[in-house]
Amino acid sequence: MASSSHITKVAVVGATGHSGRFITEALLKTGKHTITALTRGDRQHRFPDGVARKMIDYSRPETLVEALRGQDALVITLNNKADIQTELSLVHAAGDAGVKWILPNDWSPDSTDEQVVKDIMIFQPKVALRKAISEIGKSHYISVSTGFWYEWSLAIPEAYGIDLLNHTATFFDDGEAKITTSTWPQVGRAVASLLSLPVTPGNTTEACLENFKDQVIYIKSFTVNQKEMLESALRVTGTKETDWTIMKESSHERYTKGLADMQSGSQDGFVKMLYTRIFYPDGCGNIDHKGLANESLGLPTEDLDQATQRAIDRAKVGPWS
């Protein structure tokens, strides 16, 4: 029977971003990993104690290969608008450097849903990146599909349709379409738990990376609809539904208008297009039926109201911060 080797050296791209920070901190807490943050030379960031830093230059692929040499895994956490060529450069370099495991930039709703990918164009590079890793053939990928980030999304009125500060809500259709959504701490725990698994099983029932290789796996914090989010906001703020202005809008019409506004350069239009499509009544936003990795990764059940409070705190300081 094969021995149970473990991943110890992890490189993170985007370690100071919102999800990247939680992932990095969760990996550090395990005490099992040496973390290296890859950063461009023009970026000055402070990293948590215990995180090594290596400078990279995307115009010089050899710097990527050198920075990744000796790493067991690469975690990519970049803005969804990142150039696909940047991500392709990383996966090619990872292959050349001998990195066996890649967690690509797939922190999102289900990017295996062909119609969703067609309608939300920024998901298309996620599919292309998985394909590229397979075609290069030097590394395995494990994509972690998380749904949208709860604290980030709820704090943006145009995203989940709820304005936490002005006490208004716009339900898409009837507000009852359930979606899967994850908190940043849960995403961090998922990655830390995943990369703490043995590469191969010590026995036939043990969870291991080999069981997840070249797959999209699904995790969540909550499966909720807009009405349930609003109910949580009412509890946290101590308000009643009569204190709020509640409206309804067709999800299809909102998506179409958002798409048109986005093409005219509107950031709000982009947000409306992106989020509303996941709330379609076709059920695309609810991935529970896909099978969740929460239990295999030992993820806890979270408190919705606590997460809503964090969203309110973000809204107060500026949701885009």
Side-chain angles (χ1 to χ4, degrees):
M1 184 174 293
S3 62
S4 301
S5 59
H6 286 76
I7 284 176
T8 58
K9 296 182 179 180
V10 182
V12 181
V13 177
T16 58
H18 293 293
S19 60
R21 178 165 55 87
F22 281 93
I23 289 171
T24 300
E25 291 174 353
L27 284 166
L28 285 172
K29 285 180 181 178
T30 68
K32 299 176 180 178
H33 305 94
T34 300
I35 312 302
T36 300
L38 306 190
T39 181
R40 293 187 297 182
D42 60 345
R43 297 294 178 90
Q44 298 299 319
H45 292 302
R46 294 188 62 178
F47 297 98
D49 292 341
V51 175
R53 176 179 178 176
K54 287 194 176 181
M55 311 293 281
I56 57 174
D57 181 346
Y58 288 106
S59 68
R60 298 172 57 213
E62 67 273 16
T63 67
L64 305 181
V65 176
E66 179 57 32
L68 287 167
R69 202 176 303 280
Q71 300 294 323
D72 299 315
L74 168 63
V75 180
I76 304 175
T77 63
L78 294 172
N79 188 296
N80 268 324
K81 297 180 182 179
D83 183 355
I84 181 61
Q85 293 306 317
T86 297
E87 298 184 51
L88 287 172
S89 296
L90 286 166
V91 300
H92 276 284
D96 291 342
V99 179
K100 294 302 181 184
W101 298 93
I102 300 175
L103 272 59
N105 207 34
D106 213 358
W107 325 96
S108 68
D110 186 13
S111 63
T112 70
D113 187 313
E114 293 182 1
Q115 190 59 52
V116 168
V117 171
K118 179 180 178 180
D119 292 344
I120 303 178
M121 59 293 302
I122 66 166
F123 289 176
Q124 293 169 13
K126 302 179 186 302
V127 179
L129 202 65
R130 294 196 299 266
K131 182 180 179 182
I133 295 169
S134 295
E135 290 179 345
I136 293 168
K138 297 179 180 179
S139 310
H140 295 296
Y141 71 81
I142 303 176
S143 284
V144 184
S145 180
T146 62
F148 289 124
W149 301 325
Y150 186 76
E151 309 97 314
W152 170 268
S153 304
L154 186 59
I156 302 169
E158 294 80 9
Y160 281 171
I162 299 173
D163 190 329
L164 296 168
L165 301 186
N166 294 307
H167 292 179
T168 65
T170 300
F171 288 155
F172 314 148
D173 302 319
D174 57 8
E176 294 184 355
K178 287 185 178 289
I179 67 162
T180 303
T181 182
S182 296
T183 66
W184 281 319
Q186 190 81 317
V187 173
R189 286 187 290 262
V191 173
S193 178
L194 179 65
L195 294 182
S196 295
L197 294 175
V199 174
T200 56
N203 58 62
T204 57
T205 61
E206 185 179 22
C208 65
L209 289 179
E210 286 285 341
N211 292 341
F212 296 125
K213 72 178 181 182
D214 301 326
Q215 295 180 43
V216 177
I217 66 173
Y218 302 90
I219 66 134
K220 73 169 185 179
S221 293
F222 317 110
T223 300
V224 290
N225 58 36
Q226 288 179 287
K227 287 184 175 180
E228 291 166 327
M229 293 181 203
L230 178 58
E231 289 168 0
S232 177
L234 296 180
R235 291 191 296 270
V236 172
T237 59
T239 56
K240 303 183 295 295
E241 191 171 307
T242 53
D243 298 322
W244 289 61
T245 300
I246 300 175
M247 301 161 282
K248 292 184 178 181
E249 185 175 359
S250 161
S251 59
H252 286 80
E253 291 177 4
R254 183 181 175 91
Y255 167 83
T256 300
K257 186 177 187 303
L259 184 62
D261 290 346
M262 179 195 75
Q263 292 169 344
S264 299
S266 168
Q267 173 72 9
D268 285 353
F270 169 77
V271 174
K272 289 180 178 179
M273 176 281 301
L274 174 65
Y275 280 88
T276 309
R277 180 60 184 85
I278 300 302
F279 281 94
Y280 268 22
D282 60 6
C284 68
N286 182 351
I287 52 82
D288 284 10
H289 66 283
K290 291 272 188 171
L292 297 167
N294 284 47
E295 183 175 351
S296 296
L297 299 178
L299 301 183
T301 299
E302 296 174 277
D303 187 289
L304 179 63
D305 290 357
Q306 290 180 4
T308 296
Q309 180 63 66
R310 294 197 298 271
I312 292 172
D313 294 340
R314 284 191 57 79
K316 289 177 179 177
V317 299
W320 297 105
S321 60

